[in-house]
Amino acid sequence: MGIFSKIKERKKEILLLFVVIFFCLIFLEIVVRLTYYPPQDKGYPKELHIIDDNLGYKLQPNYTGNFPMEKYQDKIITVNSKGLRDDEINYTKSKTSFRILSLGDSCTFGSGVNNNQTYPSLLQDSLNEMNISVETINAGVSGYEFKQEYTYYYTQGYKYNYDVVTIGIVLNDIYDPNITQIKKNMLEFGYHDRMADSPLQKMLKNLCHSCV
């Protein structure tokens, strides 16, 4: 007796099996939807990022603010004048210091923590406590892929006279970002294509408008 004949004989049983499997999958889908809660994104203040021609976007220099999610609103984000979430850093370093440049995405940037709680900062503190003179530079930017980290290194990162470069990589970093599309999306969502005016610039603009 051939296999097709056997299938015909047990057609009802096979059909019933498929029906049972179908309803089991539906039941599992309902259970997962009712019981699984995806991890909350910390969110980022809109003013934190500005559009950049080479990178798609970058951190707003001299920005200070907080994460918008209620759970993380006590965490402060401070960006220096060079657009890094770090203290002010000169391109040159002291002769006795060992400098580490840390590239990466939100894990390096420090999503949901204060500046002094990011892993580059904690690495620096730990080594300094061991009497090892180390200076880390946090060049992480949330959402960056490897291509953006590579571009940042060859446009800015190399200037910091570093001794070692670390790269924080997660699986999504292998994707090739479309910089043009990123810039277009950010413009549509109302992001700035330049740095925000400083208080002094705003005052001068107001004075000029009042003189016209």
Side-chain angles (χ1 to χ4, degrees), residues 48 78 81 93 148-150 176:
L48 175 62
T78 303
S81 61
K93 66 181 180 71
Q148 289 159 298
E149 295 159 11
Y150 176 89
D176 190 10

Side-chain angles (χ1 to χ4, degrees), residues 54 58 62 64 77 98-99 128 147 149 154 161 175 186:
N54 297 315
K58 62 182 180 181
N62 300 312
T64 300
I77 306 168
F98 187 87
R99 181 172 277 186
N128 287 343
K147 181 178 179 180
E149 295 159 11
Y154 277 102
N161 195 21
Y175 296 112
M186 293 190 72

Side-chain angles (χ1 to χ4, degrees), residues 48-70:
L48 175 62
H49 300 107
I50 56 174
I51 296 171
D52 183 83
D53 288 337
N54 297 315
L55 300 165
Y57 63 95
K58 62 182 180 181
L59 299 183
Q60 170 93 269
N62 300 312
Y63 173 82
T64 300
N66 301 76
F67 290 97
M69 295 293 294
E70 184 177 354

